[in-house]
Amino acid sequence: MNLEVQEDGRNKSHTYGTIWAGEAELFAFRNFGYPDNELEIGMISPEAMQVHFGDIISAFTKKIPDLNLTVGDPAEWPEFSTWRESPTMSLTLGFNEEDIWFTFDWINGQPPTVTFSIPFAQAVPESEVRQRSERILLRHGMKLLSMEEYDEYKFHTWSIQAACIKDQRLSDAKDCAQLLTIAAHSIVWPDELSRAETLRLIRLGQVETLLGWLTENEWFDAKESVVLDARGTVEFAKDLAQFANGSAGGLLLIGAKTSKDEGGVETLSKLCPLDKNPKSPQPVARLAQSLRDIATSHIYPLPEGLQIEVVDTSKGQVICAHIPKQAKNVKPFIVTGEAVFGKIKNTFFSIPVRTHDGNVPVSSREIYALLAGRMIRLQDRDAGKEG
């Protein structure tokens, strides 16, 4: 979004103007004559919710680069003289709507921060609110800096300050504020990410926000790399088919490590970008295509909606394989081939099924039950067509 700053006027105490995006007025602002050059911004329009805070900073610094030199009068405020010799520009953007309140703050040369004012219920312990807040902020590309309690008009409030890891939009911060409010009030809070939200974060390149707390489960697994020999080829096909045969579909992240805690739980702990891994067999884009070819050649039927894509992160490139939840009438998904003495023998087949944090082969008796069940479903379908 291309922003334009229109300066409407100045006097000794403040500068005032408007920010435009094309013909849409987004903000009106005024700058008081304070040493930190704080800008008060209001009149937020619906279009402004999609504006990135970085664009606002850029628009101001390009349009009014001398803003910090033109407000205030040293004759009237001599204490400002030192500041005027070493000016520091800062911006403050406040948002207040339907009991949601937060501010963006930026000081030249420092990362932007966001401060949320969140009402809370005292029944939720501070340690629990802090833990919940850290996770919510990480999901939205922010890192918790501080959390302080204060009372305002007989309401208990948390002031939660966070540093921006990525450029924020007003809508991002509003969504985050809503979740923080829910977390601060809920005695029982479902803090686990859904598969859809995890996929969204991965596709946005925000894999680092998942480190330290996303655990391997029935729909998520991580691998440091893939070896394209006979064994590695078949194992990768099994990794995909296990999710397709499961109840929820799944995500396979290639280019990341997990760590096991004392209880045996595997948690995503480190990124191992494939483009910086000397053991990676091919350039990342070509590797992704090779993995698609493996899925096509060794899984029957091919899972509906399967996507294998390259994802750019701040550390480098990883690959994400997404297997949507599959309909019952197309299961089971069979992996053809097995590695025997370094070669793939296509006379073998298997039906892997995902457990909580791993896959297990289906026994011959279970295979018969699965295939018999599918035959019965097909017969019922055909009988319905004939009727």
Side-chain angles (χ1 to χ4, degrees):
M1 183 176 291
N2 185 30
L3 301 184
E4 298 179 0
V5 176
Q6 176 180 315
E7 187 180 335
D8 297 332
R10 300 189 183 199
N11 57 35
K12 288 184 178 180
S13 61
H14 65 271
T15 301
Y16 46 95
T18 307
I19 303 178
W20 297 81
E23 297 182 357
E25 180 181 346
L26 300 186
F27 308 100
F29 68 90
R30 55 179 176 170
N31 174 18
F32 294 94
Y34 297 140
D36 63 357
N37 232 11
E38 179 177 302
L39 282 162
E40 180 182 279
I41 306 177
M43 296 172 60
I44 298 176
S45 66
E47 297 90 344
M49 295 304 294
Q50 301 307 314
V51 173
H52 286 262
F53 190 56
D55 291 337
I56 299 174
I57 295 173
S58 177
F60 271 106
T61 54
K62 289 179 181 178
K63 176 65 178 179
I64 317 179
D66 64 335
L67 181 64
N68 45 356
L69 297 176
T70 57
V71 297
D73 185 342
E76 297 184 19
W77 298 294
E79 64 273 18
F80 287 2
S81 58
T82 302
W83 159 70
R84 287 171 63 85
E85 293 173 0
S86 303
T88 299
M89 176 179 257
S90 70
L91 304 178
T92 295
L93 169 60
F95 181 87
N96 189 351
E97 178 184 284
E98 298 177 355
D99 298 325
I100 296 174
W101 187 88
F102 60 85
T103 61
F104 277 113
D105 293 284
W106 172 76
I107 298 177
N108 190 23
Q110 299 182 19
T113 62
V114 185
T115 303
F116 300 91
S117 290
I118 306 297
F120 70 95
Q122 290 183 310
V124 182
E126 177 181 352
S127 59
E128 180 67 19
V129 176
R130 179 179 292 273
Q131 185 180 48
R132 296 175 182 182
S133 299
E134 286 178 342
R135 292 185 174 185
I136 292 172
L137 290 167
L138 282 174
R139 294 178 198 177
H140 288 79
M142 290 177 272
K143 182 178 180 181
L144 180 66
L145 296 178
S146 65
M147 192 175 83
E148 297 180 1
E149 176 185 351
Y150 66 94
D151 291 333
E152 183 176 8
Y153 303 112
K154 299 181 180 180
F155 292 101
H156 300 289
T157 304
W158 286 116
S159 176
I160 299 174
Q161 185 181 47
C164 295
I165 301 173
K166 67 182 184 72
D167 195 10
Q168 298 292 322
R169 296 176 300 178
L170 284 170
S171 58
D172 296 329
K174 182 179 179 181
D175 292 344
C176 186
Q178 290 172 324
L179 285 176
L180 288 171
T181 302
I182 294 171
H185 283 82
S186 302
I187 303 300
V188 178
W189 182 64
D191 60 348
E192 293 186 359
L193 276 174
S194 67
R195 180 170 58 85
E197 189 175 1
T198 302
L199 177 62
R200 183 182 68 84
L201 287 172
I202 291 174
R203 283 176 167 169
L204 289 173
Q206 298 299 314
V207 184
E208 286 182 280
T209 66
L210 304 171
L211 300 180
W213 65 280
L214 178 62
T215 59
E216 290 190 349
N217 53 51
E218 64 175 355
W219 53 260
F220 176 76
D221 197 2
K223 299 172 70 74
E224 183 176 353
S225 61
V226 175
V227 180
L228 296 183
D229 58 10
R231 182 178 180 181
T233 295
V234 174
E235 287 301 315
F236 175 73
K238 289 180 179 179
D239 287 336
L240 297 183
Q242 64 172 337
F243 287 122
N245 284 322
S247 60
L251 298 173
L252 176 61
L253 184 63
I254 304 169
K257 282 184 178 181
T258 60
S259 298
K260 185 178 293 186
D261 63 17
E262 295 179 355
V265 177
E266 295 278 357
T267 303
L268 192 65
S269 60
K270 183 181 180 181
L271 286 182
C272 307
L274 297 169
D275 55 332
K276 299 178 182 178
N277 184 352
K279 297 181 180 179
S280 187
Q282 299 176 355
V284 183
R286 190 183 304 169
L287 175 59
Q289 184 57 54
S290 296
L291 298 180
R292 297 184 195 104
D293 294 340
I294 290 172
T296 302
S297 301
H298 291 277
I299 304 176
Y300 181 81
L302 187 67
E304 182 73 23
L306 169 66
Q307 293 179 306
I308 299 175
E309 53 197 281
V310 178
V311 176
D312 294 315
T313 75
S314 61
K315 300 292 185 181
Q317 292 182 317
V318 298
I319 291 176
C320 177
H322 171 226
I323 304 93
K325 181 179 178 180
Q326 302 295 304
K328 288 184 179 180
N329 63 346
V330 297
K331 296 179 182 180
F333 293 87
I334 300 172
V335 175
T336 60
E338 192 61 64
V340 180
F341 300 115
K343 293 184 178 180
I344 297 176
K345 298 293 185 179
N346 287 319
T347 52
F348 293 84
F349 75 92
S350 60
I351 302 178
V353 176
R354 180 74 176 176
T355 60
H356 177 70
D357 57 357
N359 73 79
V360 293
V362 176
S363 68
S364 57
R365 183 170 297 180
E366 290 172 315
I367 288 175
Y368 173 78
L370 287 168
L371 295 176
R374 184 173 184 186
M375 291 300 297
I376 291 172
R377 290 195 298 272
L378 290 174
Q379 290 173 0
D380 291 343
R381 184 195 65 183
D382 293 340
K385 287 181 178 179
E386 292 177 2

